[in-house]
Each structure stands twice: as C-alpha cells, then as structure tokens.
Amino acid sequence: MNAALIPLEATIPLRLRVLRPGGTEADCHFPSDHVPGAFHVGTFVEEQCVAVQCVAVGSFSPEAHAELPAKRPYRLRGMASAPEVRGRGAGRVLLDQAVVVLADRGCDLLWCNAREVAIPFYERMGFIGRGPLFDIP
C-alpha cells in the first residue's frame, strides 16, 4: 500500500460508499474541501490481477478549533476506508503521508471529529479524545 495526494473528485466514491451510503454525490462535498491550503490523500493497493485501487481517503484543511490553540491548525475530514481493507493499515498509511505534507506546511495541530466506531483507530494513531460524544446525522 502507498498513499499520495489526490484530487477532490477521487475522494467522492469512497465518501459516498462509506460515509454517506444511500446519499448523493452532493452529500459528499464539504465546504472545507475548497479552502486555500486544503488537500486530499488517498491510499492505493494493487492486488494480484487487479488494477490499482483507491481504498482509503482523507481530506485536510486549515481550520482552527475554538478549544485547541494552535498557530497552524489543520482539520481532518471525510476519512473513509473501504470495509474490505479495514485493519490492514490503509488508514495508517494515509495518515503517515498526510503528516509529511502537514509538517511541510508548518502544521502544529491536527484535529478531527470522529464517529464513535472510529475512535479506537484515531487513538491508536495518537489522537487524544476531548469533549463529550455527539452524533452527526
């Protein structure tokens, strides 16, 4: 598996499949996708006799958090991994690549809102939970 910067359009199929099942493509666009400095990362896998396939996506944009002071904060949004590759390192590979890009941009804080089911993954990646749990429809 390897990860690379990808265009926004390449994030939509996995966002739709994993984050917005039954939704529309319009449901998969976030305002933060288009802010200056935003970027998107995809993880790719090449299986035997199968073309290279994007199996995880994540989007990163400069955005402050009211309770977390930082000079150059970024927010992770729209992270999705194909169910068939979960637990195989696709998310870790994606975040490792993003950290390289974020370091080059002087990022001093990476934050996100996470679905409850994803909290253990983010904790393994070194994120620290803050605040009460909440649901995003």
Side-chain angles (χ1 to χ4, degrees):
M1 276 187 240
N2 64 343
L5 294 175
I6 60 174
L8 169 61
E9 301 77 36
T11 69
I12 302 303
L14 268 177
R15 284 183 182 181
L16 186 58
R17 180 176 167 208
V18 175
L19 303 177
R20 302 289 190 265
T24 67
E25 187 174 313
D27 297 329
C28 298
H29 288 272
F30 308 128
S32 57
D33 287 332
H34 305 285
V35 301
F39 65 95
H40 315 279
V41 178
T43 300
F44 298 87
V45 64
E46 184 174 357
E47 299 286 344
Q48 197 172 36
C49 301
V50 177
V52 174
Q53 182 178 17
C54 185
V55 295
V57 296
S59 298
F60 302 81
S61 60
E63 185 177 335
H65 188 289
E67 298 174 17
L68 302 172
K71 291 182 182 178
R72 298 193 118 182
Y74 267 74
R75 180 181 184 185
L76 164 59
R77 190 150 188 214
M79 179 117 173
S81 296
E84 62 271 16
V85 301
R86 287 195 192 131
R88 291 180 40 197
R92 176 180 294 279
V93 169
L94 187 149
L95 283 177
D96 287 348
Q97 177 63 39
V99 165
V100 170
V101 175
L102 291 165
D104 286 345
R105 295 177 182 210
C107 174
D108 59 346
L109 172 72
L110 175 60
W111 68 277
C112 68
N113 291 328
R115 292 174 184 227
E116 196 168 346
V117 68
I119 290 173
F121 166 77
Y122 287 109
E123 288 175 339
R124 286 191 306 275
M125 298 296 100
F127 284 72
I128 299 168
R130 285 191 61 158
L133 296 178
F134 61 93
D135 186 36
I136 300 173

